[in-house]
Amino acid sequence: MCGIAGFVDPAGRTPDPQRVLHAMRQALRHRGPDDAGDFIDAPAFLGHRRLSIVDLSPAGRQPFVLTDPAGAPDVVALANGELYNHYALRPALRAAFPDATPGASDCAILPWLWRLHGPRLLERLVGMYALAVWDARRHTLLLARDPGGEKPLYYAPLPGGGLAFASEPKALLAHPLVSRAVDPVGLRRYLTFDYVPGRATVYAAIRKLEPGAHLLWTPRGLTHGRHGEIPFGPPVLHDRREIADAVWRALGDAVEARLMADVPLGVFLSGGLDSTAVTAALTARRDPATVQTFSIGFDDASFDESAHARAVAAHLGTTHHEQRLSPETLLALVPELIAGLDEPFADASIVPTWLLSRFARQHVTVALGGDGGDELFQGYPTYAADAMARLAARLPRPVRRRLLEPLARLIPHRAAYMSLDFKARRFLSALELPADHRHPVWIGGVHPDEHAAALSPALAAGLRTAAPDDAVFADIDALVARFQSAQPSGSREDLISWLYLQTYLADDVLMKVDRASMAHALEVRAPLLDPALARLAGHIPSSCKRVGAVTKRPLRDALAGRVPPSILRRPKQGFGVPMAAWLRGPLSGWMRDVLDPVRVARGGLLDPAWTTRLMDEHLAGRVTHHKALWSALVLELWRAGNHGPDRTPP
């Protein structure tokens, strides 16, 4: 696990390029505090920060460089992540190159794979990775991201036909030719989704690779391509017991592959079904007493899963560690957290994830997590909401407004986790949108209809031309078209799962885990996104995944008899934070300070009338605005940290 950064500058427009490369590399020091390396041979400048996981010796230092017979650089490779199948790929390399001597590091095989397969090497990799390969003879740069989207990779075109890349935007922003100017479409997407999905970022100059995508740079230009994605196809398994057995075997194999490490390893254990499944599979293959598990708790019982995590740990016999998150802890974390994000990111669960990563790093260097289960096995409550919305949409619009909205207003207000009034208002807020646009609004922060009121008058005036409504959901529409082209007979539920995999999982959940863990030099791996397990899930009928109110039935069946029955009966609970109550109580003064109308007006992004109204209504207890308020708080803190406290972004 590491950080990568670099650029190709054929026109030589980068001033003092070696200094720039070192600044970019230094911006990623938190991702790899153990070592650093670079390759400098114009027009290519490549840098690496190393977190030693496999092959702790100096031989594992990157970039890996192959030379030609004359000793000149030939192929250079650097990567962030792990290649779990590198042992299986080595015999073919030895057969093709008898004198090949790739080191013990999993990524040391990459230059040799390029020599043998060129860009098609990506079809052979199993792992989580963001990688770069530079062919010095052909002046060709390959950038690629794993199909699950576990590891991020960003890029920015440079003047003169060059290209810069990095594991995080902060490294790209260290390059003097990469602008900090805000993209209006990216800003609206952040407000809608809580994050910026797809290729876009909040910066107009910076883009990111999508899961399973690659980019090929040559002096002639850029070529985008795809080398893999999590598939959905015709159902091949229908028997309930057969499905459960197949899932358990595939999960065990996935966990086994992700134990590849020369450093201590543990598990994030929330007490939910997915992390319980990973822990159970690990303890089935290793002495439970050697397995360390980690969880975060809250004082608010409706958000606290720590008792369930303790029950699983006790049942399986792991060595369990627990820490609690208080409002005071959150306030202490905020400056560090916002500084580590690069972009505004309003999923508040990054706070406990940040604390959990810091806590776990005191004991281990690698952790397994349960991400991916909700997407692959239909665990989100929005699947049921989708079906209900399609039924409700059949009612005439005036009937919906006269019947459903008054009913929702009658529900008593509560600040508990996923309270009924919160779910009802969320459901109705997206009912008038196209079906494929509802899910981002259900889980996001600020409804698109509110953007004109939320943004400063100067920004709102230009929304119609600079960032129209259809641009906000353009990536969703493109993904739907791509799925329907590949799977014309695919089910509605499979389409929803695929959209979650490509957007919410990749750009929210996995990005959150990557930033929180790498800020503390901790590597987190997701066994549920193993290609074999994902393919298996993609071929299980939707009718077997969600049966009535029972979600993720294949996982529940696979764990039957292996974990406490109470865990198998639990409904879905996200890694939430009691933000609604905290913003009314211990965090209210901090909120008032950050969203002070004078400060907000000077910042130039948000309209202080909007933020003040939200605060007043929330503090009065008339309605819960914690999602929109947290979006506003993060945006203001990000703006101040990235553009100065009194200056509007250019």
Side-chain angles (χ1 to χ4, degrees):
M1 183 63 66
C2 312
I4 64 175
F7 55 94
V8 180
D9 185 7
R13 298 197 180 185
T14 303
D16 196 353
Q18 186 168 335
R19 181 193 61 79
V20 170
L21 176 64
H22 288 172
M24 294 175 68
R25 193 184 67 184
Q26 187 63 17
L28 301 175
R29 190 180 188 283
H30 55 284
R31 297 184 72 93
D34 295 334
D35 200 359
D38 55 34
F39 171 84
I40 298 174
D41 186 20
F45 300 83
L46 312 176
H48 186 267
R49 291 294 322 192
R50 183 185 184 196
L51 175 62
S52 302
I53 301 291
V54 176
D55 184 13
L56 308 185
S57 73
R61 175 180 296 168
Q62 300 188 42
F64 298 110
V65 182
L66 290 186
T67 57
D68 63 18
D74 181 15
V75 182
V76 185
L78 58 164
N80 163 32
E82 308 291 349
L83 304 180
Y84 302 124
N85 67 332
H86 74 105
Y87 288 120
L89 296 174
R90 289 174 183 265
L93 294 180
R94 286 194 293 268
F97 307 108
D99 297 329
T101 57
S105 170
D106 54 300
C107 294
I109 65 173
L110 286 172
W112 297 97
L113 285 174
W114 175 269
R115 275 188 175 176
L116 184 59
H117 301 294
R120 297 191 65 182
L121 69 89
L122 299 171
E123 301 168 8
R124 291 159 171 82
L125 301 182
V126 176
M128 58 173 189
Y129 56 82
L131 61 84
V133 179
W134 169 246
D135 188 318
R137 287 185 299 144
R138 297 179 177 85
H139 277 209
T140 297
L141 176 69
L142 171 71
L143 302 177
R145 187 180 179 197
D146 66 84
E150 290 187 67
K151 293 294 103 188
L153 191 56
Y154 298 80
Y155 64 94
L158 298 177
L163 186 74
F165 66 91
S167 295
E168 298 180 19
K170 63 169 60 68
L172 287 172
L173 295 173
H175 195 295
L177 301 182
V178 177
S179 169
R180 290 177 177 262
V182 171
D183 179 1
V185 175
L187 180 59
R188 289 202 67 191
R189 287 177 175 174
Y190 159 73
L191 290 173
T192 302
F193 290 75
D194 281 346
Y195 58 93
V196 184
R199 291 185 185 179
T201 73
V202 78
Y203 301 101
I206 299 176
R207 290 295 178 261
K208 63 176 176 287
L209 282 180
E210 298 167 291
H214 61 266
L215 187 65
L216 204 62
W217 178 94
T218 71
R220 295 182 298 278
L222 298 177
T223 303
H224 293 266
R226 306 202 65 81
H227 55 273
E229 57 193 9
I230 294 175
F232 287 84
V236 296
L237 292 174
H238 295 85
D239 179 77
R240 183 174 176 180
R241 187 68 262 163
E242 184 183 5
I243 290 172
D245 291 343
V247 167
W248 180 249
R249 287 194 302 270
L251 176 60
D253 292 343
V255 167
E256 184 70 40
R258 282 151 187 78
L259 300 182
M260 182 183 76
D262 298 325
V263 292
L265 180 147
V267 186
F268 284 173
L269 177 60
S270 68
L273 192 65
D274 300 334
S275 63
T276 295
V278 171
T279 309
L282 176 54
T283 55
R285 296 183 175 227
R286 293 292 187 274
D287 178 2
T290 67
V291 175
Q292 299 192 71
T293 51
F294 303 88
S295 68
I296 292 292
F298 301 94
D299 292 333
D300 187 322
S302 70
F303 287 83
D304 186 40
E305 294 185 275
S306 60
H308 302 292
R310 288 194 299 272
V312 172
H315 182 89
L316 297 175
T318 69
T319 300
H320 191 58
H321 309 269
E322 181 183 316
Q323 195 170 54
R324 302 192 77 75
L325 175 59
S326 66
E328 294 74 23
T329 307
L330 184 149
L331 279 180
L333 284 176
V334 162
E336 171 191 344
L337 192 154
I338 297 297
L341 283 181
D342 302 311
E343 294 187 86
F345 180 79
D347 183 343
S349 67
I350 194 171
V351 179
T353 306
W354 195 275
L355 183 64
L356 179 62
S357 297
R358 187 175 70 182
F359 178 43
R361 187 60 176 90
Q362 299 170 16
H363 304 269
V364 299
T365 310
V366 177
L368 305 184
D371 297 320
D374 289 312
E375 292 77 11
L376 291 172
F377 296 103
Q378 299 184 12
Y380 293 123
T382 46
Y383 285 90
D386 186 85
M388 293 170 58
R390 282 181 283 143
L391 288 174
R394 296 178 183 177
L395 295 172
R397 185 171 181 176
V399 174
R400 294 199 300 267
R401 291 190 176 276
R402 288 198 299 267
L403 178 65
L404 299 179
E405 293 180 10
L407 285 175
R409 287 194 291 269
L410 291 175
I411 302 172
H413 168 70
R414 294 181 65 225
Y417 175 78
M418 292 296 284
S419 62
L420 180 59
D421 64 307
F422 174 79
K423 290 190 289 186
R425 288 196 310 276
R426 280 273 145 177
F427 176 78
L428 292 175
S429 71
L431 197 56
E432 305 304 326
L433 295 173
D436 298 323
H437 298 177
R438 291 172 185 149
H439 289 260
V441 173
W442 281 335
I443 64 177
V446 182
H447 195 288
D449 290 349
E450 290 188 62
H451 291 183
L455 293 171
S456 69
L459 287 176
L463 284 188
R464 185 165 295 179
T465 54
D469 287 350
D470 57 359
V472 175
F473 295 102
D475 283 348
I476 298 294
D477 296 335
L479 287 169
V480 170
R482 205 168 98 207
F483 179 88
Q484 292 174 339
S485 175
Q487 302 290 341
S489 60
S491 70
R492 172 69 185 170
E493 291 79 12
D494 282 347
L495 170 61
I496 296 170
S497 291
W498 196 74
L499 289 174
Y500 273 121
L501 284 162
Q502 297 294 319
T503 57
Y504 181 64
L505 178 71
D507 296 324
D508 182 310
V509 176
L510 294 176
M511 195 284 279
K512 167 190 70 180
V513 171
D514 175 81
R515 291 298 192 281
S517 60
M518 292 311 299
H520 302 95
L522 176 75
E523 174 173 304
V524 178
R525 302 170 177 176
L528 290 169
L529 291 177
D530 179 82
L533 179 56
R535 280 194 300 271
L536 173 65
H539 290 284
I540 295 174
S542 293
S543 59
C544 295
K545 294 178 181 176
R546 191 169 56 87
V547 183
V550 178
T551 62
K552 296 190 282 192
R553 194 174 73 171
L555 270 184
R556 296 180 196 274
D557 288 347
L559 292 176
R562 295 184 168 99
V563 302
S566 60
I567 301 299
L568 301 182
R569 293 192 297 266
R570 287 193 65 207
K572 164 69 181 173
Q573 180 166 347
F575 200 19
V577 177
M579 193 60 69
W582 286 2
L583 290 178
R584 283 198 184 98
L587 299 184
S588 60
W590 169 74
M591 175 179 67
R592 285 286 195 191
D593 179 59
V594 174
L595 298 182
D596 176 81
V598 175
R599 176 177 177 173
V600 171
R602 276 204 309 258
L605 286 181
L606 295 171
D607 189 329
W610 179 75
T611 54
T612 300
R613 176 179 64 80
L614 292 187
M615 285 192 292
D616 289 345
E617 292 179 356
H618 185 83
L619 291 171
R622 293 194 295 270
V623 66
T624 297
H625 288 308
H626 67 284
K627 291 278 291 179
L629 283 169
W630 185 251
S631 297
L633 286 162
V634 170
L635 186 62
E636 269 300 294
L637 292 168
W638 169 82
R639 178 202 56 76
N642 282 267
H643 298 282
D646 302 310
R647 183 163 64 88
T648 302

